[in-house]
Amino acid sequence: MTKAASAAAKDLAAAGVGGVHLAWADNNGIPRSRIVPVGGLADAAVRGVGATTLFAVFDSHDVITYGHPGLATPSGDLRLVPVVERLRRLSGQPALAFAPVRQVAADGAPWPYCQRSVLERQVAEAARRGLEFRAGYELEFTVTPAGSAELPGHPGPAYSPHALVGLDGFVAALLHDFAGNGLGIGQLHAEYGAAQLEVSLAATDPLSAADDQLLARQTIHAAAHAHGLRVSFAPVPDLATAGNGWHLHTSVRRKGRNLLAGTGLPAGDGAGYVGGLLRDLPALTAITAPSVPSTLRLRPGFFAGAYGFWGVENREAPLRYVPGSAMLGEGHANVELKTSDASANPYLALAVVLAAGMAGIEEGVVPPEPIAQDPGGWSERERETHGVRPLPSDPAGQDAALLACPRISEVLGTELLGAFRAVRASDAAWAAERTPEEIVAAHRWRY
């Protein structure tokens, strides 16, 4: 590792790079980083860079909560160790590079609050079971001129090419910088919401998908700044419009075969995967859409997934099965989780999705029949007949769902679960004294 880091540092320095962002996401999904001079990269790869242990109990407003007994004092240090094989020079910020980190204890031992390590454990467990996952994010975000939260960054119409004419320079920079940063994308377009765009990241292994999500955010923010724009990834940038989802697509393979493959409904282990996700959906959502604005986003009729059900190509469903086709091939099949947004830590989000899906396969969980309609337009009796219930709509409901599901809560481990819950409780206490408009405004630029 020392040789690889030294070689990488030498190449970066020759290219004019002066520093490296050592980046991670906290328990609110907010990216954090420390920049080290490029000449210090090799040393950081061996000894790490110091940081306070209290990052695990920062809430969404940078308030440090001491509500978790394991991190109840300002004393303590951890080390941030760059994952050198994921190092990337930032095309849109040529004097800087970017690397995700592992968080370890001061003596180099595993640290129980490291979110990336949680996902690493689930990936290892999948390999033990002979399973391999693929994952990819669709990132929705809102564009505004710098210095304004009111004027739209593009006038619409939704999905229109001429909606983006005024953003030509920004769009060109995104395409250029994504390619330069080694990020594959499927498409980029004007989305349904006011001044909303979406970019789809190429599917890859789960750890790379989580790393790529952080890198994509940095790439988009930098390109926007360079073109006099500002972007919001907040779950709800404005109460009057559609929110920003970060839809998470996953598929699972055994011996190279996609278990979801087919042009009809998933069967066998593929059905078990869907059934496992659906069974644990309330607890999953407590991790994948965990913030107070997340609950404001989960409204019927907004393609956000307000009720617990699944469907085939049903964009109102929180679990949307995307089958293969004659054009794309059966192996294209995947499941989209719509109750996912930027306030989720990407490593934790993927870890719990993998865990729920693997449990469904292991136990042979059979999902109910898919639903093609929007249950938001049904009567309470119709929803009850079909077993469709609202997903948790407030922090207390999410916390209860998480605690009621050991399959999900135990993925995090006792220490990290305690810190995560303390952060959520701090956010809930803050929000209890504020209006929805104040909550939205306070989170607009956090992610």
Side-chain angles (χ1 to χ4, degrees), residues 52-285:
T52 175
T53 57
L54 294 176
F55 277 117
V57 287
F58 271 48
D59 73 11
S60 295
H61 313 284
D62 292 344
V63 172
I64 300 170
T65 172
Y66 293 102
H68 169 56
L71 297 172
T73 76
S75 302
D77 206 16
L78 61 89
R79 308 299 291 179
L80 306 171
V81 180
V83 183
V84 176
E85 60 268 27
R86 297 291 296 160
L87 178 69
R88 297 288 185 273
R89 184 185 180 189
L90 293 173
S91 178
Q93 298 173 273
L96 294 170
F98 187 97
V101 301
R102 293 184 181 91
Q103 302 166 66
V104 302
D107 62 358
W111 194 55
Y113 302 94
C114 175
Q115 297 92 350
R116 196 177 198 275
S117 296
V118 173
L119 179 55
E120 289 174 340
R121 289 196 296 271
Q122 291 303 313
V123 171
E125 175 60 23
R128 188 189 69 80
R129 299 186 188 195
L131 299 175
E132 179 185 354
F133 286 88
R134 304 282 289 175
Y137 274 95
E138 294 176 352
L139 311 181
E140 293 177 339
F141 55 96
T142 305
V143 183
T144 63
S148 171
E150 305 297 332
L151 297 175
H154 72 71
Y159 310 111
S160 168
H162 49 255
L164 298 182
V165 169
L167 297 177
D168 268 355
F170 175 53
V171 169
L174 286 182
L175 295 173
H176 175 271
D177 294 347
F178 267 73
N181 292 346
L183 293 169
I185 64 172
Q187 57 183 349
L188 168 66
H189 61 270
E191 249 292 343
Y192 185 79
Q196 190 179 53
L197 272 66
E198 179 181 285
V199 61
S200 302
L201 300 182
T204 182
D205 68 275
L207 282 162
S208 295
D211 292 341
D212 287 352
Q213 193 240 59
L214 289 183
L215 179 55
R217 266 196 261 195
Q218 184 72 17
T219 304
I220 294 168
H221 274 304
H225 176 75
H227 289 83
L229 301 169
R230 199 176 189 187
V231 296
S232 173
F233 296 122
V236 182
D238 189 308
L239 287 170
T241 188
N244 292 319
W246 283 27
H247 305 154
L248 176 54
H249 290 257
T250 58
S251 63
V252 57
R253 289 164 168 75
R254 181 183 287 118
K255 296 181 179 179
R257 179 183 175 273
N258 186 349
L259 300 181
L260 297 167
T263 55
L265 295 180
D269 286 343
Y273 182 69
V274 174
L277 295 179
L278 183 62
R279 176 178 63 178
D280 291 339
L281 188 59
L284 286 178
T285 300

